[in-house]
mmCIF file of all heavy atoms in Angstrom:
data_model
loop_
_atom_site.group_PDB
_atom_site.id
_atom_site.type_symbol
_atom_site.label_atom_id
_atom_site.label_comp_id
_atom_site.label_asym_id
_atom_site.label_seq_id
_atom_site.Cartn_x
_atom_site.Cartn_y
_atom_site.Cartn_z
ATOM 1 N N GLY S 65 -7.279 -28.839 -31.750
ATOM 2 C CA GLY S 65 -6.745 -27.990 -30.680
ATOM 3 C C GLY S 65 -5.874 -28.776 -29.721
ATOM 4 O O GLY S 65 -4.736 -28.390 -29.425
ATOM 5 N N GLY S 70 1.115 -30.604 -28.227
ATOM 6 C CA GLY S 70 2.390 -31.320 -28.075
ATOM 7 C C GLY S 70 3.478 -30.842 -29.018
ATOM 8 O O GLY S 70 4.643 -31.120 -28.795
ATOM 9 N N GLY S 75 2.741 -19.648 -34.419
ATOM 10 C CA GLY S 75 1.855 -18.491 -34.635
ATOM 11 C C GLY S 75 0.896 -18.339 -33.482
ATOM 12 O O GLY S 75 0.720 -19.240 -32.669
ATOM 13 N N ALA S 80 -5.643 -19.656 -30.370
ATOM 14 C CA ALA S 80 -7.036 -19.212 -30.258
ATOM 15 C C ALA S 80 -7.971 -20.423 -30.190
ATOM 16 O O ALA S 80 -8.969 -20.398 -29.495
ATOM 17 C CB ALA S 80 -7.390 -18.325 -31.438
ATOM 18 N N LYS S 170 -25.853 -10.028 -2.708
ATOM 19 C CA LYS S 170 -26.194 -11.226 -3.460
ATOM 20 C C LYS S 170 -27.473 -11.002 -4.272
ATOM 21 O O LYS S 170 -27.571 -11.416 -5.437
ATOM 22 C CB LYS S 170 -26.359 -12.439 -2.522
ATOM 23 C CG LYS S 170 -25.031 -13.097 -2.183
ATOM 24 C CD LYS S 170 -25.196 -14.288 -1.262
ATOM 25 C CE LYS S 170 -23.807 -14.808 -0.893
ATOM 26 N NZ LYS S 170 -23.805 -15.603 0.329
ATOM 27 N N CYS S 200 -28.865 2.240 -2.973
ATOM 28 C CA CYS S 200 -27.825 2.915 -2.184
ATOM 29 C C CYS S 200 -27.719 2.176 -0.860
ATOM 30 O O CYS S 200 -28.740 1.951 -0.184
ATOM 31 C CB CYS S 200 -28.209 4.375 -1.970
ATOM 32 S SG CYS S 200 -27.183 5.217 -0.755
ATOM 33 N N HIS S 237 -7.148 6.179 25.845
ATOM 34 C CA HIS S 237 -6.050 5.200 25.846
ATOM 35 C C HIS S 237 -4.708 5.859 25.504
ATOM 36 O O HIS S 237 -3.702 5.153 25.343
ATOM 37 C CB HIS S 237 -6.325 4.087 24.830
ATOM 38 C CG HIS S 237 -7.588 3.322 25.092
ATOM 39 N ND1 HIS S 237 -7.631 2.270 25.979
ATOM 40 C CD2 HIS S 237 -8.848 3.463 24.615
ATOM 41 C CE1 HIS S 237 -8.865 1.787 26.017
ATOM 42 N NE2 HIS S 237 -9.630 2.488 25.198
ATOM 43 N N ALA S 265 1.912 14.526 6.145
ATOM 44 C CA ALA S 265 3.340 14.779 5.944
ATOM 45 C C ALA S 265 4.168 13.958 6.938
ATOM 46 O O ALA S 265 5.236 13.427 6.589
ATOM 47 C CB ALA S 265 3.636 16.263 6.104
ATOM 48 N N ALA S 266 3.682 13.803 8.159
ATOM 49 C CA ALA S 266 4.431 13.054 9.168
ATOM 50 C C ALA S 266 3.975 11.588 9.257
ATOM 51 O O ALA S 266 4.783 10.699 9.481
ATOM 52 C CB ALA S 266 4.266 13.707 10.533
ATOM 53 N N GLY S 268 1.739 9.838 6.949
ATOM 54 C CA GLY S 268 1.282 9.118 5.773
ATOM 55 C C GLY S 268 -0.231 9.168 5.643
ATOM 56 O O GLY S 268 -0.914 9.877 6.388
ATOM 57 N N LYS S 271 -3.716 4.688 3.294
ATOM 58 C CA LYS S 271 -3.055 3.461 2.847
ATOM 59 C C LYS S 271 -2.149 2.892 3.928
ATOM 60 O O LYS S 271 -1.910 1.692 3.982
ATOM 61 C CB LYS S 271 -2.147 3.741 1.633
ATOM 62 C CG LYS S 271 -2.829 4.186 0.379
ATOM 63 C CD LYS S 271 -1.756 4.287 -0.715
ATOM 64 C CE LYS S 271 -2.077 5.310 -1.817
ATOM 65 N NZ LYS S 271 -3.403 5.447 -2.285
ATOM 66 N N THR S 386 1.223 32.365 4.601
ATOM 67 C CA THR S 386 1.422 31.973 5.999
ATOM 68 C C THR S 386 1.668 30.467 6.121
ATOM 69 O O THR S 386 0.972 29.669 5.498
ATOM 70 C CB THR S 386 0.185 32.353 6.826
ATOM 71 O OG1 THR S 386 -0.093 33.735 6.629
ATOM 72 C CG2 THR S 386 0.394 32.064 8.298
ATOM 73 N N ASP S 396 8.549 17.455 26.261
ATOM 74 C CA ASP S 396 8.253 18.893 26.098
ATOM 75 C C ASP S 396 9.486 19.669 25.653
ATOM 76 O O ASP S 396 9.457 20.482 24.735
ATOM 77 C CB ASP S 396 7.744 19.436 27.453
ATOM 78 C CG ASP S 396 7.367 20.896 27.347
ATOM 79 O OD1 ASP S 396 6.686 21.258 26.371
ATOM 80 O OD2 ASP S 396 7.741 21.687 28.238
ATOM 81 N N ALA S 403 10.968 23.341 17.675
ATOM 82 C CA ALA S 403 10.198 24.498 17.232
ATOM 83 C C ALA S 403 11.101 25.724 17.103
ATOM 84 O O ALA S 403 10.985 26.510 16.134
ATOM 85 C CB ALA S 403 9.072 24.784 18.218
ATOM 86 N N ALA S 473 -1.806 32.868 -10.721
ATOM 87 C CA ALA S 473 -1.894 33.826 -11.830
ATOM 88 C C ALA S 473 -3.095 33.486 -12.724
ATOM 89 O O ALA S 473 -3.842 34.372 -13.139
ATOM 90 C CB ALA S 473 -0.603 33.783 -12.652
ATOM 91 N N PHE S 499 -17.675 30.020 -7.346
ATOM 92 C CA PHE S 499 -18.290 30.489 -8.587
ATOM 93 C C PHE S 499 -19.781 30.220 -8.603
ATOM 94 O O PHE S 499 -20.255 29.225 -8.027
ATOM 95 C CB PHE S 499 -17.616 29.837 -9.791
ATOM 96 C CG PHE S 499 -17.724 28.339 -9.803
ATOM 97 C CD1 PHE S 499 -18.749 27.710 -10.519
ATOM 98 C CD2 PHE S 499 -16.845 27.556 -9.079
ATOM 99 C CE1 PHE S 499 -18.874 26.316 -10.521
ATOM 100 C CE2 PHE S 499 -16.965 26.156 -9.067
ATOM 101 C CZ PHE S 499 -17.980 25.543 -9.796
ATOM 102 N N ARG S 513 -6.554 23.324 -16.774
ATOM 103 C CA ARG S 513 -5.193 23.825 -17.029
ATOM 104 C C ARG S 513 -4.251 23.451 -15.862
ATOM 105 O O ARG S 513 -3.098 23.077 -16.074
ATOM 106 C CB ARG S 513 -5.191 25.344 -17.236
ATOM 107 C CG ARG S 513 -5.638 25.772 -18.638
ATOM 108 C CD ARG S 513 -5.391 27.257 -18.890
ATOM 109 N NE ARG S 513 -6.165 28.126 -18.018
ATOM 110 C CZ ARG S 513 -7.395 28.590 -18.309
ATOM 111 N NH1 ARG S 513 -7.977 28.268 -19.448
ATOM 112 N NH2 ARG S 513 -7.994 29.395 -17.459
ATOM 113 N N MET S 514 -4.782 23.514 -14.650
ATOM 114 C CA MET S 514 -3.958 23.195 -13.470
ATOM 115 C C MET S 514 -3.561 21.710 -13.475
ATOM 116 O O MET S 514 -2.414 21.348 -13.202
ATOM 117 C CB MET S 514 -4.745 23.519 -12.200
ATOM 118 C CG MET S 514 -3.844 23.676 -10.977
ATOM 119 S SD MET S 514 -4.802 23.893 -9.462
ATOM 120 C CE MET S 514 -6.199 24.865 -10.009
ATOM 121 N N GLU S 520 2.151 17.473 -16.375
ATOM 122 C CA GLU S 520 3.393 17.879 -17.090
ATOM 123 C C GLU S 520 4.609 17.862 -16.155
ATOM 124 O O GLU S 520 5.701 17.508 -16.544
ATOM 125 C CB GLU S 520 3.156 19.302 -17.657
ATOM 126 C CG GLU S 520 4.266 19.890 -18.470
ATOM 127 C CD GLU S 520 4.422 19.186 -19.806
ATOM 128 O OE1 GLU S 520 3.437 18.600 -20.294
ATOM 129 O OE2 GLU S 520 5.541 19.207 -20.319
ATOM 130 N N PHE S 558 -13.014 -8.371 -10.461
ATOM 131 C CA PHE S 558 -13.701 -8.320 -9.163
ATOM 132 C C PHE S 558 -15.219 -8.173 -9.329
ATOM 133 O O PHE S 558 -15.969 -8.635 -8.500
ATOM 134 C CB PHE S 558 -13.176 -7.114 -8.341
ATOM 135 C CG PHE S 558 -11.878 -7.385 -7.640
ATOM 136 C CD1 PHE S 558 -10.677 -7.300 -8.314
ATOM 137 C CD2 PHE S 558 -11.858 -7.724 -6.298
ATOM 138 C CE1 PHE S 558 -9.472 -7.539 -7.670
ATOM 139 C CE2 PHE S 558 -10.643 -7.984 -5.644
ATOM 140 C CZ PHE S 558 -9.459 -7.895 -6.329
#
Side-chain angles (χ1 to χ4, degrees):
Chain S
K170 277 181 184 158
C200 169
H237 299 277
K271 295 185 208 321
T386 306
D396 182 45
F499 60 96
R513 281 191 296 270
M514 200 186 324
E520 183 69 26
F558 279 81

